Amino acid sequence: MIQKNEFFESIVNNRQKHPERLNASFNRIEEVLQILSIVKADEIIEKCKTEIDHSRNQLTDNEGVYVYKTINSLCTEKELKRIAELLFLSEISTKEAISLHEEYKIPVSHLEKDIIPISGDGAWITDNVNRRFLDMDSNYSATNLGMSNREIALGIYNQAIQLISMKEDRVHIPRTRFLKNIHEMLPDGLTQFYWQNSGGEAVDKALKIAKAYTKNAGVVAMKGGFHGRTHGAVSVTYEEKYRKPFFLHNQDWVHFVEFNDAEAVKNLFEKNKAKTVILELVQGEEAGIRPAEREFPKKLRDICDQYNGVMIVDEIQTGFGRTAEKENQWFASMVYDVIPDIMTIGKSFGGGYPVTAVVTNKQVSNAMKPGYDGSTFGGNPMAMVAAMIATRQMREKNITKNVIERSQQIINGLKRIRDENNSIGEIRGLGLMLSFQLSSPEKVAEFQKEIARNGVKTSLSTREWVRFLPPLIISKTDVDFLLKAIAQTLQII
Amino acid sequence: MIQKNEFFESIVNNRQKHPERLNASFNRIEEVLQILSIVKADEIIEKCKTEIDHSRNQLTDNEGVYVYKTINSLCTEKELKRIAELLFLSEISTKEAISLHEEYKIPVSHLEKDIIPISGDGAWITDNVNRRFLDMDSNYSATNLGMSNREIALGIYNQAIQLISMKEDRVHIPRTRFLKNIHEMLPDGLTQFYWQNSGGEAVDKALKIAKAYTKNAGVVAMKGGFHGRTHGAVSVTYEEKYRKPFFLHNQDWVHFVEFNDAEAVKNLFEKNKAKTVILELVQGEEAGIRPAEREFPKKLRDICDQYNGVMIVDEIQTGFGRTAEKENQWFASMVYDVIPDIMTIGKSFGGGYPVTAVVTNKQVSNAMKPGYDGSTFGGNPMAMVAAMIATRQMREKNITKNVIERSQQIINGLKRIRDENNSIGEIRGLGLMLSFQLSSPEKVAEFQKEIARNGVKTSLSTREWVRFLPPLIISKTDVDFLLKAIAQTLQII
C-alpha cells in the first residue's frame, strides 16, 4: 500500500532523498492523469488550475500541497500508487522536455524525441508515457550491460562521498584497483593505458601517439570508417560531409583506401606517405554492419611489422565482447586473431559512465615523453570505479557466451523469417553487431516506426540496412520477443 | 566502539556494501600498522606472514580471516578502530599504487606520486598515509566545491539505478531539469548548448562550430594560451613542444598573436586570414596567472562585431565564479563586461563529474546542421544530474561572495608577508586564480616541497611563479592557515 508521504514526495520533492529531482510541474501531472486514465482526471485538473501559476513551471511547495490534497481526495489508493510511481520516474512532461531541448540545443544532430526513456531494466527501457521497449541499440553500444546498474551506482556513490575527482597524472587508489584486474581481458602485450573521456578523444590521442612514435604525420584510414568528431578523429572519418564544413576534408596527412585493400596501405607505407593505419574491424556507422574480410587485419599486421608502422584498431564499438565468436573474445582483434599496436576502447567500458582509453604496448608507450599530453578527467576515480565494476560484471556474467548464443539465435531467426517472407535481403554482422537488408531506406524507416509500436527500439539505420546493437545481456526470451515482432512487422509494412 | 564486523570488512571486503573496493593486501596492512604505530605490529606481521602467499596481492577470504583474527587478538579496541578507518579509506598500499601506475601508464605526463589523496572534506585532502593537506589546486579547478560531495553522489546514484546513460541526441529528463535552472548564471544571449565530456573536446568542437559559422578556417589564438590536447585544441595552444611531436606546429589555419594585441587580431581579420579569435581572459597554464588587460576583450568584441567574426572565450578554468570581483560574476567575461559569441565551460561544471559544453548564441547556433557533430556521452543523464546539483550549490553557497573575500584575504596576507620578507615579488591574478613570484623556479620547487610539509598542497608551478587555485569554498580559517604556512615556509627556505 502506498505511503502517504511517498505520494506527497512524488509531487513536492524531498531534496534530501532526491537531490536530482524537482517539484513536479502541473503539466506533467495532467499528463500522468491522462496516461493512467484516472477516472476523475478532469475534476482534478479543473480544481487545481485555479491555483496554479503556470502549468509548465515546477509547482511551488504551496501549489504542490494543494495539488496533493486535491488528488488525494479524488483518487483511490491504487490510483495514487500508480500516479506516484510514474511521477517518480519523471516529474517533467513530454512537452516541457521536448520544448526545452528544441529551444536550447545547438542543432549539430537531429533531436531524437520519439521516445523519452526514463528507466531501464535488463534489455528493456520504459519511456515517460509508460511504454516499454526492447532496446536494440544500447546507446551505440555504450550500455551493453543494460540501462541501469545498481552495483555501479553504489560504487560511484561511495567514491563520490570519499574523493570525487583526481587528475590523470596523479596516482590514486580506484585506478590501482582497476589495474589489478583488467589485464586478463586485454590482447597480449597491450598493457599501457592513457585514459580519456570520450571515444573521439581516445582516437584523437591514439593518432597523436602513433605520429609521435612513427615520427611520420601520415595516417591511412578506411573508406566507410567512422572514428569520432574531434579535429583528429573526424579527419580519419570517411564521410566528407562530416569534415567539409570545418575545412577538414583535404588534410594532407590523411589517406583513405578501400576497406580490405591491404596493397593500398602497403603502397602508402612504402612511399613513406604514412606509417600508421587506423580501422574498425567491423565498420558500424557508415556501412551498415560490415566486418572486415578475415585475412585483411593479418595482412595489415604484416605490413606494419615490415615497415615498423603502427596499427590502430578502433575497438570503441566492437570491444568488450560485442563481436565474440568464442568465449572470452573481448575484442574484435581476438576474433580476427591479430594484435594491434594501439587499441582505442570506450562506450560500454564504464557501463554507461564516460570513460575511454588508448591502450598500447611497451614499445610505443616508451616513445612518449612527459608533456606530450595531459588530462583533467581521464581515468578519474569515479570512472575507474565504473570501469572496474563494469568489466568485472562482463566477466562474471560470461557475456561473450551470451553474445555467441544470442547472435546465432537472431541470425537463425532472421533466416527463418526470410524463408517465409522475401522482404529480407542480406543478413550480416558479427556477434551482436548485426544488420539485415530491406528493399529501400524508406522501407527501413517504415519498419523502424512499425516495430516501435510492437515494443522494439531499433538502432539508427544506414541506408537500406536495419541495424541491431542490443545490450549484451539480452536474454533468450527477449530475442524470441524480437523475432516475433520482426515477423509481425514485416507482414504489415 | 568499533563493530567487530566493521573491522572485519575493512580486511575482507563486503562487496554488497562496497562494490568498488577489494580485499586488503597484506602490504597495505603492514603499512597501516606502521602509520598508526601499533604496539604489537611486529608480532602481527610475523605471525601473518607465514600464512600469506604474496604480500602485494589482495588477501584471499581465508587469508583475510586469519589476518583479522590475528590483529583482533593482539590489538586494543581503540587500535582496531583506527586500523579499520584507515583501511576503509584505502585497502591498497602506497607501493602497490605507485608501482602499478608506473608499470602501466603511457608516460604522456609526469606521474605525480608525492601525495596519494584518498578522501576530501571541504578544502582539505587526506592522503593514504594519513596526512592532511589544504588543497590549493582543486584539480586544475575541477573540484571547486571540494573533493567530496554527498549531494552529487546521491543524485548520481539515483540516476544510475534508474537510467545510467543516454546519448546527446535524445531528449531526456535530467537534461531538461538542468535547462530549467541554468540560464540565470549565463551571460546574456548565451543560451545554446552542445554537451561534451572534456575541456579539450569542448574547445575542439567550439572551433568546428566557429569555422562552420564564419565559413573561414582561420583562427587567431594567443601567445601563452592553453586550450587542451586534441588535434584542434592543441593547435591553438601556444607551447610548441605540445604540438611539434604530432606535426601540429605549422598549422596554416592558426595564427598566434601577442596577448592583449587587438591590432594584430584586426589585421588578420581584415586580410580575411581568420574570422575567429580564441582566448582565455586569465591565462592560467603557461603564463603564471595572467589576466588580460581590462580593455582587450572589449576591443576584440568590437573587432568581431565589425567583421562578423566569432569571439570564443575559453572559460573552462575561469568559469563558475573562480575570477569573480562582484557577486554573481559567474564567468570571467562578466568581470570584463563582454559577451563572447562562444564560451567553453567545464572543469568544476559537474562538481568533479566530467561534463563540459560549448555555449553559444542563437545566431551562431542556427548555422549548425544535423550531421555536423554527435556525441555518445555528451550531456548524459549522470552528467546533467551532477551539473544541475553542482551549479545549484554554487548559487546557494553564494561562492562568488566567498571568492571575493578570500581573494582579498590572500592578497592582503601575501602583501603583509612581503612587507616582512622580501622573497615575494609580484602578486597577480583575479579572484581565486592567484600567483606570486619567487626568485627562481628552483626556489618555487623548494617552496612547494616545504609548504607541503606544513600541510599545503600547491598547484603546479610555472617558472618562478607559485600558483594557487583553491576550491572556491575555502574558508577564512583555511586562508589563515595558508598564510601562516606561507610565512613559515619562506622563513625556512
Side-chain angles (χ1 to χ4, degrees):
Chain A
M1 208 173 93
I2 177 132
Q3 298 292 312
K4 277 286 171 349
N5 75 331
E6 207 173 297
F7 173 56
F8 179 74
E9 289 178 3
S10 74
I11 297 173
V12 180
N13 185 43
N14 180 338
R15 183 163 147 194
Q16 264 60 48
K17 287 191 208 162
H18 285 281
E20 81 287 1
R21 297 184 75 238
L22 306 173
N23 287 358
S25 69
F26 192 64
N27 205 240
R28 175 59 175 169
I29 288 173
E30 292 179 279
E31 183 175 53
V32 165
L33 296 176
Q34 279 153 21
I35 294 166
L36 299 175
S37 306
I38 299 300
V39 181
K40 299 192 180 171
D42 289 351
E43 191 178 339
I44 294 166
I45 292 167
E46 204 56 41
K47 225 174 149 189
C48 291
K49 269 207 166 160
T50 57
E51 302 290 321
I52 309 302
D53 195 33
H54 186 296
S55 70
R56 288 210 202 172
N57 291 343
Q58 317 153 223
L59 296 170
T60 63
D61 288 3
N62 282 340
E63 289 171 339
V65 171
Y66 186 83
V67 170
Y68 160 75
K69 284 184 180 165
T70 308
I71 298 180
N72 208 34
S73 67
L74 292 170
C75 288
T76 64
E77 281 290 312
K78 202 178 152 192
E79 284 178 328
L80 294 181
K81 188 174 181 326
R82 294 173 68 209
I83 295 169
E85 279 170 1
L86 199 49
L87 278 181
F88 258 119
L89 287 175
S90 169
E91 75 284 15
I92 287 171
S93 73
T94 308
K95 267 187 200 162
E96 294 171 83
I98 292 176
S99 71
L100 282 166
H101 277 75
E102 282 176 343
E103 187 165 357
Y104 298 125
K105 177 180 166 70
I106 301 179
V108 296
S109 61
H110 280 293
L111 183 65
E112 297 177 25
K113 54 191 179 184
D114 52 326
I115 298 170
I116 302 178
I118 49 178
S119 77
D121 69 295
W124 290 80
I125 290 171
T126 300
D127 83 349
N128 69 330
V129 292
N130 232 0
R131 298 179 297 181
R132 302 230 323 143
F133 298 92
L134 180 63
D135 176 20
M136 293 303 292
D137 174 64
S138 53
N139 252 333
Y140 308 128
S141 202
T143 51
N144 289 357
L145 294 164
M147 283 280 183
S148 65
N149 200 308
R150 194 167 289 270
E151 205 186 22
I152 293 176
L154 181 57
I156 293 177
Y157 172 84
N158 289 335
Q159 188 57 50
I161 62 170
Q162 187 175 328
L163 187 80
I164 200 168
S165 193
M166 191 45 60
K167 53 192 179 177
E168 206 274 341
D169 326 55
R170 188 168 288 279
V171 173
H172 64 74
I173 301 302
R175 198 187 291 141
T176 312
R177 292 180 188 129
F178 170 86
L179 289 169
K180 277 193 164 191
N181 287 286
I182 193 60
H183 292 287
E184 61 177 280
M185 288 175 87
L186 298 174
D188 286 347
L190 294 191
T191 51
Q192 309 306 112
F193 282 87
Y194 181 41
W195 281 276
Q196 298 283 288
N197 310 282
S198 81
E201 202 181 29
V203 167
D204 198 289
K205 303 306 175 72
L207 294 170
K208 285 176 70 180
I209 290 171
K211 290 178 192 184
Y213 173 77
T214 58
K215 295 186 169 40
N216 185 318
V219 175
V220 187
M222 299 297 138
K223 293 186 181 178
F226 182 93
H227 299 285
R229 301 291 200 153
T230 65
H231 276 60
V234 82
S235 292
V236 295
T237 290
Y238 184 59
E239 268 293 347
E240 200 184 58
K241 68 176 185 222
Y242 292 165
R243 294 180 277 120
K244 204 167 178 182
F246 320 108
F247 304 88
L248 296 168
H249 54 301
N250 285 322
Q251 299 273 77
D252 58 5
W253 56 275
V254 183
H255 311 274
F256 289 104
V257 301
E258 293 292 336
F259 196 44
N260 295 318
D261 185 353
E263 271 308 301
V265 178
K266 189 174 178 171
N267 284 339
L268 287 155
F269 277 33
E270 174 66 36
K271 289 178 190 149
N272 222 18
K273 298 228 175 188
K275 281 286 158 62
T276 297
V277 58
I278 184 167
L279 74 158
E280 307 147 284
L281 294 179
V282 184
Q283 291 189 332
E285 297 282 327
E286 294 310 310
I289 300 286
R290 189 179 181 198
E293 288 171 12
R294 282 287 150 155
E295 292 307 309
F296 180 53
K298 282 184 192 157
K299 288 181 192 163
L300 292 181
R301 179 68 273 165
D302 288 345
I303 294 165
C304 286
D305 289 343
Q306 188 183 345
Y307 292 93
N308 198 20
V310 168
M311 177 177 183
I312 305 175
V313 172
D314 182 347
E315 293 261 16
I316 288 167
Q317 197 162 50
T318 52
F320 296 108
R322 164 94 29 214
T323 63
E325 284 187 333
K326 291 183 187 155
E327 281 187 46
N328 299 317
Q329 285 182 333
W330 294 108
F331 296 95
S333 61
M334 293 168 170
V335 179
Y336 281 91
D337 194 21
V338 71
I339 298 175
D341 301 291
I342 297 179
M343 181 168 85
T344 49
I345 58 177
K347 302 267 193 218
S348 77
F349 186 20
Y353 191 100
V355 49
T356 67
V358 184
V359 190
T360 187
N361 56 42
K362 286 259 181 207
Q363 191 178 340
V364 172
S365 176
N366 284 340
M368 297 306 106
K369 292 192 181 71
Y372 275 22
D373 221 284
S375 174
T376 300
F377 291 125
N380 66 75
M382 289 193 286
M384 293 288 88
V385 163
M388 185 186 82
I389 297 174
T391 50
R392 186 173 62 195
Q393 285 181 5
M394 293 173 200
R395 296 191 299 270
E396 287 180 351
K397 286 173 195 277
N398 204 0
I399 59 169
T400 48
K401 183 161 178 275
N402 193 54
V403 167
I404 298 160
E405 291 171 359
R406 298 291 81 73
S407 177
Q408 272 312 315
Q409 190 186 352
I410 295 174
I411 291 170
N412 292 341
L414 286 173
K415 286 181 181 166
R416 271 197 310 275
I417 293 168
R418 185 168 57 183
D419 288 344
E420 289 165 20
N421 182 323
N422 62 6
S423 53
I424 291 183
E426 194 184 338
I427 299 162
R428 70 185 187 189
L430 201 63
L432 283 177
M433 211 169 161
L434 293 168
S435 63
F436 65 88
Q437 220 175 4
L438 292 178
S439 57
S440 69
E442 293 70 32
K443 210 70 187 168
V444 169
E446 211 183 326
F447 174 84
Q448 290 181 301
K449 211 170 160 184
E450 189 56 37
I451 203 168
R453 286 207 193 97
N454 285 318
V456 175
K457 184 181 171 298
T458 50
S459 200
L460 288 179
S461 61
T462 310
R463 294 190 299 276
E464 78 280 16
W465 293 89
V466 174
R467 292 197 295 166
F468 291 143
L469 288 99
L472 307 187
I473 52 156
I474 190 170
S475 72
K476 184 167 185 299
T477 320
D478 294 335
V479 172
D480 287 338
F481 177 92
L482 167 73
L483 293 168
K484 205 172 152 191
I486 294 173
Q488 280 173 348
T489 303
L490 289 177
Q491 278 170 358
I492 296 169
I493 63 167
Chain B
M1 209 175 90
I2 176 131
Q3 299 292 312
K4 279 285 173 350
N5 74 331
E6 207 172 297
F7 172 57
F8 180 72
E9 289 178 3
S10 75
I11 297 173
V12 180
N13 186 43
N14 179 338
R15 185 165 146 192
Q16 262 61 46
K17 286 192 208 163
H18 285 281
E20 81 286 2
R21 297 185 75 239
L22 305 173
N23 286 359
S25 69
F26 192 66
N27 205 240
R28 175 60 176 170
I29 288 173
E30 291 179 279
E31 183 176 53
V32 166
L33 296 175
Q34 278 153 20
I35 295 166
L36 299 175
S37 305
I38 299 298
V39 181
K40 299 192 178 170
D42 289 351
E43 194 179 338
I44 293 167
I45 292 167
E46 205 56 43
K47 225 175 148 188
C48 291
K49 270 208 166 161
T50 57
E51 301 291 319
I52 309 303
D53 195 32
H54 187 296
S55 70
R56 287 208 201 173
N57 292 343
Q58 316 152 225
L59 296 169
T60 63
D61 288 3
N62 282 340
E63 289 171 339
V65 171
Y66 186 85
V67 171
Y68 159 76
K69 284 184 181 167
T70 308
I71 298 180
N72 209 35
S73 67
L74 291 170
C75 288
T76 63
E77 282 289 312
K78 203 177 150 192
E79 285 178 328
L80 294 182
K81 186 172 183 326
R82 294 174 68 210
I83 295 170
E85 277 169 3
L86 200 49
L87 277 182
F88 257 120
L89 287 175
S90 169
E91 76 284 16
I92 286 171
S93 74
T94 308
K95 267 187 202 163
E96 294 171 84
I98 292 176
S99 71
L100 282 167
H101 277 74
E102 282 176 342
E103 188 166 356
Y104 298 125
K105 178 181 165 69
I106 302 179
V108 296
S109 60
H110 279 293
L111 183 66
E112 297 178 24
K113 53 190 178 185
D114 53 326
I115 298 170
I116 302 178
I118 49 177
S119 76
D121 69 295
W124 290 80
I125 289 171
T126 301
D127 84 348
N128 69 329
V129 292
N130 231 1
R131 298 179 297 182
R132 301 233 320 145
F133 298 93
L134 180 63
D135 175 20
M136 294 303 290
D137 173 65
S138 53
N139 252 336
Y140 308 129
S141 203
T143 51
N144 289 356
L145 294 164
M147 283 281 182
S148 64
N149 200 307
R150 194 167 289 270
E151 205 186 19
I152 293 176
L154 181 57
I156 293 177
Y157 173 84
N158 288 334
Q159 188 57 50
I161 61 169
Q162 188 175 326
L163 186 79
I164 201 167
S165 193
M166 191 45 61
K167 52 192 178 175
E168 206 275 339
D169 325 57
R170 187 168 288 279
V171 173
H172 64 72
I173 301 303
R175 197 187 292 142
T176 312
R177 292 179 188 131
F178 170 87
L179 288 169
K180 278 193 163 191
N181 287 284
I182 192 62
H183 292 287
E184 61 176 280
M185 289 176 87
L186 298 174
D188 286 346
L190 294 189
T191 51
Q192 309 307 111
F193 281 88
Y194 181 42
W195 280 278
Q196 297 283 286
N197 310 283
S198 81
E201 203 183 28
V203 167
D204 198 287
K205 302 306 175 74
L207 294 170
K208 284 176 70 180
I209 290 171
K211 291 179 194 184
Y213 172 78
T214 59
K215 296 186 170 37
N216 185 319
V219 176
V220 187
M222 299 297 139
K223 292 186 180 179
F226 181 93
H227 299 285
R229 300 292 200 154
T230 65
H231 276 61
V234 83
S235 292
V236 294
T237 290
Y238 185 59
E239 268 293 350
E240 199 183 61
K241 69 176 182 220
Y242 292 166
R243 293 179 278 120
K244 203 167 177 181
F246 320 108
F247 304 89
L248 295 168
H249 53 302
N250 285 321
Q251 300 273 76
D252 58 6
W253 57 275
V254 183
H255 310 274
F256 288 105
V257 302
E258 291 292 334
F259 196 43
N260 294 317
D261 185 353
E263 270 309 301
V265 178
K266 190 175 178 167
N267 284 339
L268 286 156
F269 276 33
E270 175 66 38
K271 289 178 191 151
N272 222 17
K273 298 228 175 189
K275 282 286 158 62
T276 297
V277 58
I278 184 167
L279 75 159
E280 307 146 286
L281 295 179
V282 184
Q283 291 188 333
E285 296 282 326
E286 294 309 311
I289 301 286
R290 189 179 181 199
E293 289 172 9
R294 282 286 151 155
E295 292 308 308
F296 180 51
K298 282 182 192 158
K299 288 180 191 163
L300 293 182
R301 177 69 274 165
D302 289 343
I303 294 165
C304 287
D305 289 342
Q306 189 182 342
Y307 293 93
N308 198 19
V310 167
M311 177 175 182
I312 304 175
V313 173
D314 182 349
E315 293 262 15
I316 287 167
Q317 195 162 51
T318 52
F320 296 107
R322 164 105 14 223
T323 64
E325 284 187 333
K326 291 182 186 154
E327 281 186 46
N328 299 319
Q329 286 182 334
W330 294 108
F331 295 95
S333 61
M334 293 169 170
V335 179
Y336 281 91
D337 193 21
V338 71
I339 298 176
D341 300 292
I342 296 178
M343 182 167 87
T344 49
I345 59 178
K347 301 270 194 216
S348 77
F349 187 19
Y353 191 99
V355 50
T356 67
V358 184
V359 190
T360 188
N361 57 43
K362 286 257 179 209
Q363 191 178 340
V364 172
S365 176
N366 285 339
M368 297 305 106
K369 292 193 182 71
Y372 275 23
D373 222 282
S375 175
T376 299
F377 291 126
N380 66 73
M382 289 193 285
M384 293 288 88
V385 162
M388 184 186 83
I389 297 174
T391 52
R392 185 171 64 194
Q393 285 181 5
M394 294 173 198
R395 296 192 299 271
E396 288 181 350
K397 288 173 193 277
N398 203 359
I399 59 169
T400 48
K401 183 160 178 276
N402 193 54
V403 167
I404 297 161
E405 291 171 0
R406 298 292 79 73
S407 177
Q408 271 313 312
Q409 190 187 354
I410 295 174
I411 291 170
N412 293 341
L414 286 173
K415 285 179 180 166
R416 273 197 310 276
I417 294 168
R418 183 167 58 183
D419 289 344
E420 289 166 19
N421 184 321
N422 62 6
S423 54
I424 292 184
E426 194 186 338
I427 299 162
R428 70 184 186 190
L430 200 64
L432 284 177
M433 210 169 161
L434 294 168
S435 63
F436 65 87
Q437 219 175 5
L438 292 178
S439 57
S440 69
E442 292 70 31
K443 209 72 187 169
V444 168
E446 211 182 327
F447 174 84
Q448 289 181 302
K449 210 169 161 183
E450 189 57 36
I451 201 167
R453 286 207 193 94
N454 284 318
V456 176
K457 183 181 170 299
T458 51
S459 202
L460 288 181
S461 61
T462 311
R463 294 188 301 274
E464 78 277 19
W465 294 89
V466 175
R467 291 198 296 166
F468 292 142
L469 288 101
L472 306 187
I473 51 157
I474 190 170
S475 71
K476 184 167 184 300
T477 320
D478 293 336
V479 172
D480 287 339
F481 178 92
L482 167 73
L483 293 168
K484 204 171 153 193
I486 294 173
Q488 281 175 348
T489 303
L490 290 176
Q491 278 171 1
I492 296 169
I493 64 167

